[in-house]
Amino acid sequence: MKTLRSFSILAGSLLLASSAFAQIQLTPPVAQTPAAKPKPKPVVVPKKPAAETKAPATTPPTATVIPAPAPNDPRVDLVYGAFQRGEYRTARDLAMTRAQAGDPKAMTMLGELYSNALGTKRDDAKAVDWYKRAADNGDREAMFELAMMRFEGRGGPTDRMEAARLLASSAKLGEPKAAYNLALLYLDGQTLPQDLRRSAELLRLAADAGNADAQYALATFYKEGTGVPKDLEKAAELLQMAALADNVDAEVEYAIALFNGTGTPKNEPAAIALLRKAAKQNSPIAQNRLARVLVLGQGVPMDRIEGLKWHLIAKTSGKGDLMLDEVFAQLSPEDRSKVEALAHRWLGDQVGISQVGVSQVGSKQAGGSQAGSK
């Protein structure tokens, strides 16, 4: 049974690769100050635990991931099959029978059902109880989920050190998400002492297991030489893998690498195709970059109407661009109306397109200085 949801344990975003956006030849060069230290990219969490002071010096948990044997119990497959079909009450009844007979996978399933209010009312206390029983019986997924609940303070008090120990145990048994989140703890340096080399090792374990978030994070490590020797080719390879797994941030950065030929052969058509894909997935950075290549005709036939459509869409997310504002202002009234209609069709009723059109041309808030950064 695979994990049904994924959480993050840290706030912030991975900004290690922000310099890559300045490399693409689509915007005027802007002086940037490199970040003092990398910050982790999170997976979405329902609630962020309250900020805490640094924990006192404690022997940090360690984890060496080793493959865990896959469950091969047809009775457990019946439980999971019911879950996959959306028959949550059936899954709960089947899992309860198996859990009472001592099956840790069924215990983990009950934890999932109670935690996510599937087929029953949400009950964090029961979820924690079943996860703990499964974890005590060696289930790595239960260890990971219980760690997330400890971080969030669900079903009991927040306990970040206990959560870290659970992540280490889960990672040691081969859970990629646990290795990834433990890597973020070593990167952040609050719950555990900062150890960039150890963080890179854990990210590599999770990346090798196919975790796209870890592949993207490790790519930034190789691009900046954080915890590993700087290696642009390895960075591009990892970005490609994460992009193939539909990680939107990786799609954008791999597109930029392809456009510039950084660590990989230059391929502008492939880069623009990736920018289109990420733009359609509502990445404001991809929308801004796609707008520029279309308006300027870089690596693609010039299409100002389509390009400026993406420009207006990107502006609604704060990714303004003075140069594109000026191009938009120079359009005929008829063409401006076409652009606004296309943008409105994409955005629906989210925003009045006229509010991000001519009225904001030249405003500092929509300045090009923001276009090259996340």
Side-chain angles (χ1 to χ4, degrees):
M1 181 179 70
K2 64 182 181 180
T3 301
L4 311 174
R5 59 191 170 87
S6 183
F7 294 118
S8 171
I9 52 180
L10 297 173
S13 60
L14 267 170
L15 301 179
L16 288 174
S18 60
S19 60
F21 293 107
Q23 295 173 8
I24 194 165
Q25 302 302 311
L26 303 180
T27 59
V30 179
Q32 295 182 341
T33 302
K37 73 171 186 175
K39 299 181 181 178
K41 173 187 181 299
V43 186
V44 176
V45 297
K47 292 183 181 179
K48 177 186 172 184
E52 299 177 6
T53 57
K54 286 190 177 182
T58 306
T59 302
T62 59
T64 303
V65 178
I66 58 174
N72 188 26
D73 189 334
R75 293 165 295 185
V76 174
D77 290 343
L78 290 175
V79 177
Y80 189 60
F83 180 92
Q84 290 288 77
R85 294 190 299 272
E87 300 170 2
Y88 301 126
R89 291 187 179 181
T90 299
R92 183 191 61 185
D93 293 342
L94 291 171
M96 186 64 73
T97 300
R98 294 297 309 145
Q100 290 172 347
D103 192 308
K105 287 294 178 185
M107 296 173 189
T108 300
M109 173 62 77
L110 288 172
E112 295 287 348
L113 295 172
Y114 281 114
S115 175
N116 294 286
L118 300 173
T120 185
K121 291 182 179 180
R122 172 171 160 170
D123 191 325
D124 288 345
K126 287 185 178 180
V128 166
D129 179 58
W130 283 115
Y131 281 143
K132 188 174 187 309
R133 293 191 197 187
D136 290 344
N137 279 277
D139 187 83
R140 68 185 190 183
E141 294 173 20
M143 294 172 188
F144 171 74
E145 296 293 348
L146 183 57
M148 296 299 98
M149 296 193 80
R150 293 298 188 220
F151 273 115
E152 297 164 35
R154 291 178 56 191
T158 299
D159 189 337
R160 297 177 69 85
M161 286 307 300
E162 173 63 15
R165 284 190 286 269
L166 285 163
L167 286 178
S169 296
S170 179
K172 187 175 182 179
L173 292 174
E175 177 52 60
K177 289 183 294 300
Y180 169 69
N181 282 281
L182 189 59
L184 297 187
L185 287 183
Y186 279 112
L187 176 61
D188 183 68
Q190 295 186 27
T191 303
L192 300 175
Q194 187 179 65
D195 187 336
L196 299 180
R197 183 174 297 179
R198 183 60 180 149
S199 180
E201 291 172 354
L202 287 161
L203 286 176
R204 185 178 297 109
L205 292 167
D208 288 346
N211 185 291
D213 290 326
Q215 291 165 349
Y216 172 73
L218 187 58
T220 68
F221 274 44
Y222 276 108
K223 183 157 50 179
E224 300 295 330
T226 302
V228 293
K230 187 172 182 177
D231 188 334
L232 296 181
E233 291 185 3
K234 185 64 175 178
E237 178 186 339
L238 286 160
L239 286 174
Q240 181 185 36
M241 289 190 289
L244 289 172
D246 294 325
N247 182 294
V248 179
D249 291 330
E251 289 171 358
V252 176
E253 295 219 35
Y254 187 52
I256 292 173
L258 285 169
F259 194 94
N260 294 326
T262 304
T264 186
K266 188 179 180 71
N267 189 334
E268 289 184 356
I272 293 167
L274 265 181
L275 286 177
R276 286 186 187 277
K277 180 181 178 183
K280 291 177 180 179
Q281 294 173 289
N282 288 318
S283 166
I285 296 173
Q287 291 164 351
N288 173 264
R289 293 302 185 269
L290 181 59
R292 277 199 162 245
V293 297
L294 288 170
V295 167
L296 299 174
Q298 292 183 299
V300 67
M302 183 182 294
D303 188 341
R304 289 192 170 187
I305 301 298
E306 178 72 7
L308 291 172
K309 175 198 82 171
W310 288 115
H311 166 55
L312 293 190
I313 293 168
K315 281 184 73 172
T316 65
S317 298
K319 291 299 176 185
D321 192 309
L322 282 176
M323 185 277 287
L324 294 175
D325 277 341
E326 293 170 0
V327 175
F328 181 79
Q330 294 167 7
L331 293 178
S332 67
E334 180 182 358
D335 283 346
R336 282 202 300 269
S337 295
K338 288 180 182 178
V339 172
E340 290 179 349
L342 288 171
H344 189 277
R345 186 181 305 168
W346 176 268
L347 292 167
D349 296 326
Q350 295 178 34
V351 67
I353 293 302
S354 61
Q355 297 175 2
V356 295
V358 180
S359 62
Q360 287 190 9
V361 171
S363 68
K364 291 183 180 180
Q365 184 177 4
S369 63
Q370 293 184 10
S373 62
K374 283 187 178 180

